[in-house]
Amino acid sequence: MGGPRVCSVVVSLLIGTLVGVVLGVVSGLVPGVHVNTMAAFLLSVSPLLAGALGTVPLAAALVAALITHTFLDCVPSTFLGVPDADTAVMVLPAHALCMEGRGAEAVRVSALGSASAVAWALPLSLLFLGLLPLLQPAIDWGIGLLLIVVACSLVVFSESPEWSAAVFLVSGFLGLFVFRYSFLAWHGGTSVLMPLLSGLFGVAVILSATGGRMPAQAAPVSYPERQEVLRCTFTGSVAGAVVGWLPGLSNATANALLASVIDYGQDRRGYLLATSAANTANAFLGLSALYALGRTRNGVMVALAAFDLPPLSLLLLVAALAATIAYLLTLYCSGAAALFARVRLRPLHTAVVLSVTALSFLLCGPFGLFVLAAATLVGTVPALVQVRRVSCMGAVMLPVILSSLGVVVF
């Protein structure tokens, strides 16, 4: 009896993994569609599917969708300049490489960063599982202080500390307003991140861009040296692991952390490696935090916690399998660079802005349009005063700092 039962579990895991990969591909490639949306969809149909399939394939599908999304979300960021809520700052070096005819290289370097993170994240998961639960009370207390140090380093070491501080605070107050009144959005909660970060890091950049045509995407693909890959992906994996474990933080916070140690203007490929690694490692450690502490770090983990959880080892195996498939799919999608060669930029930019505007309305209603407009106005300031756009991460960091210190409650 053991053999057929094992076979049944393996088949159900494979089915769940493949379904999750498909959902992750959709959420990764379609701008504005987050993997949390796919998690909500699976959760809504789970009563119909759980009776026939059981909860194991549904749990596998959720994990596979999350991992796949972390690989594929670099594609619209690179070719369209539309940021995902988890990779806002990454859009800047990725799209810059695309405008040099190196879009395929940007996507492949990002895929390499995510794939390398899988190798780092597995041992980090075991280390965090054994060590950090004992230190969790102290960790919860120190989150705000850690982010204050990071914010100060971003400001002090910027081109113009005064303007950088001003942009950080203004974007931070915008973030406070948006999160405080997020109930005005049609879908509430984290859906407001889409217009907020798209305005700061997407639309503002697109509106300031010149016309002309997309450069020919025929540049030969080259990869960073092995030592640089190891250094950047380890740094990114640790940042993503820490953010994945700590409450109230997101991948956007990891991007800001990494921007304080890796100059995304000078070392674009290194920053892509690090942020992609952080994005994927964050998913693994969020899963570990669920099992170790019973805490949910994102919408996928909230949906996963609604099921009877299978052993962690099974879901880590699913995650590794999904990562392998997603890596190959991302390499295949890098070939989309040829589709954008010689495309006129102004109509493309217009289509992207209209799409982001429509998605903001569909997700958040009139409040989303207001947030998008306000964020776009704030997002135009860094270019005018010549400071790095990462200062706009105050929109996420300031609310988290004040919330962690108990100053505000959302």
Side-chain angles (χ1 to χ4, degrees):
M1 295 295 291
R5 184 174 180 181
V6 170
C7 246
S8 173
V9 171
V10 170
V11 170
S12 65
L13 283 176
L14 288 175
I15 292 174
T17 301
L18 293 176
V19 170
V21 167
V22 171
L23 295 177
V25 168
V26 173
S27 66
L29 294 181
V30 180
V33 179
H34 198 270
V35 68
N36 288 346
T37 307
M38 297 302 175
F41 167 74
L42 272 178
L43 191 59
S44 66
V45 299
S46 62
L48 301 175
L49 300 178
L53 301 175
T55 59
V56 171
L58 294 177
L62 286 168
V63 172
L66 177 61
I67 298 299
T68 302
H69 180 93
T70 66
F71 278 78
L72 273 297
D73 61 0
C74 67
V75 177
S77 298
T78 299
F79 296 121
L80 301 179
V82 180
D84 181 82
D86 292 332
T87 56
V89 186
M90 191 182 81
V91 68
L92 304 175
H95 194 57
L97 286 171
C98 182
M99 296 306 295
E100 294 176 2
R102 300 163 64 189
E105 179 179 336
V107 172
R108 285 175 173 259
V109 167
S110 177
L112 177 61
S114 289
S116 301
V118 177
W120 292 118
L122 290 174
L124 283 173
S125 296
L126 298 176
L127 176 64
F128 279 34
L129 276 170
L131 181 63
L132 291 191
L134 303 175
L135 307 174
Q136 197 61 39
I139 292 172
D140 291 341
W141 179 83
I143 291 173
L145 299 179
L146 170 65
L147 289 182
I148 289 175
V149 172
V150 173
C152 289
S153 68
L154 288 175
V155 169
V156 170
F157 295 107
S158 68
E159 299 85 347
S160 173
E162 298 84 359
W163 277 113
S164 183
V167 171
F168 183 90
L169 290 174
V170 170
S171 62
F173 289 132
L174 175 61
L176 286 170
F177 171 82
V178 169
F179 290 121
R180 175 65 180 82
Y181 294 98
S182 62
F183 62 88
L184 295 174
W186 283 352
H187 297 285
T190 58
S191 65
V192 295
L193 279 173
M194 189 271 168
L196 177 63
L197 295 180
S198 292
L200 292 171
F201 295 96
V203 177
V205 176
I206 290 173
L207 292 180
S208 64
T210 58
R213 293 181 181 272
M214 181 80 78
Q217 301 292 314
V221 175
S222 63
Y223 291 96
E225 296 292 332
R226 181 180 177 183
Q227 292 300 319
E228 183 181 2
V229 172
L230 292 174
R231 175 179 61 83
C232 293
T233 57
F234 177 74
T235 303
S237 296
V238 171
V242 170
V243 168
W245 189 275
L246 299 179
L249 306 186
S250 67
N251 278 321
T253 312
N255 288 347
L257 286 169
L258 291 169
S260 66
V261 295
I262 301 177
D263 189 339
Y264 61 78
Q266 299 296 323
D267 188 9
R268 291 177 296 188
R269 296 194 305 177
Y271 189 74
L272 281 177
L273 284 169
T275 51
S276 299
N279 199 14
T280 301
N282 179 284
F284 276 87
L285 269 296
L287 184 61
S288 297
L290 173 62
Y291 275 80
L293 305 172
R295 297 184 180 183
T296 54
R297 297 292 188 247
N298 53 56
V300 175
M301 295 302 117
V302 171
L304 190 60
F307 301 135
D308 292 329
L309 293 176
L312 177 59
S313 56
L314 280 182
L315 292 187
L316 289 177
L317 180 62
V318 167
L321 177 59
T324 303
I325 299 172
Y327 176 70
L328 297 175
L329 289 173
T330 308
L331 294 185
Y332 177 78
C333 289
S334 68
L339 300 177
F340 291 91
R342 312 307 300 168
V343 170
R344 292 182 63 85
L345 291 176
R346 194 168 299 280
L348 177 62
H349 289 164
T350 301
V352 170
V353 171
L354 291 177
S355 298
V356 171
T357 303
L359 284 168
S360 298
F361 181 75
L362 289 174
L363 289 173
C364 304
F367 185 67
L369 297 181
F370 172 78
V371 172
L372 180 65
T376 300
L377 287 175
V378 175
T380 60
V381 175
L384 296 177
V385 298
Q386 297 183 340
V387 297
R388 294 189 298 172
R389 193 171 297 275
V390 72
S391 301
C392 291
M393 283 308 301
V396 175
M397 294 180 68
L398 186 59
V400 173
I401 289 172
L402 296 181
S403 178
S404 299
L405 297 177
V407 178
V408 297
V409 178
F410 299 110

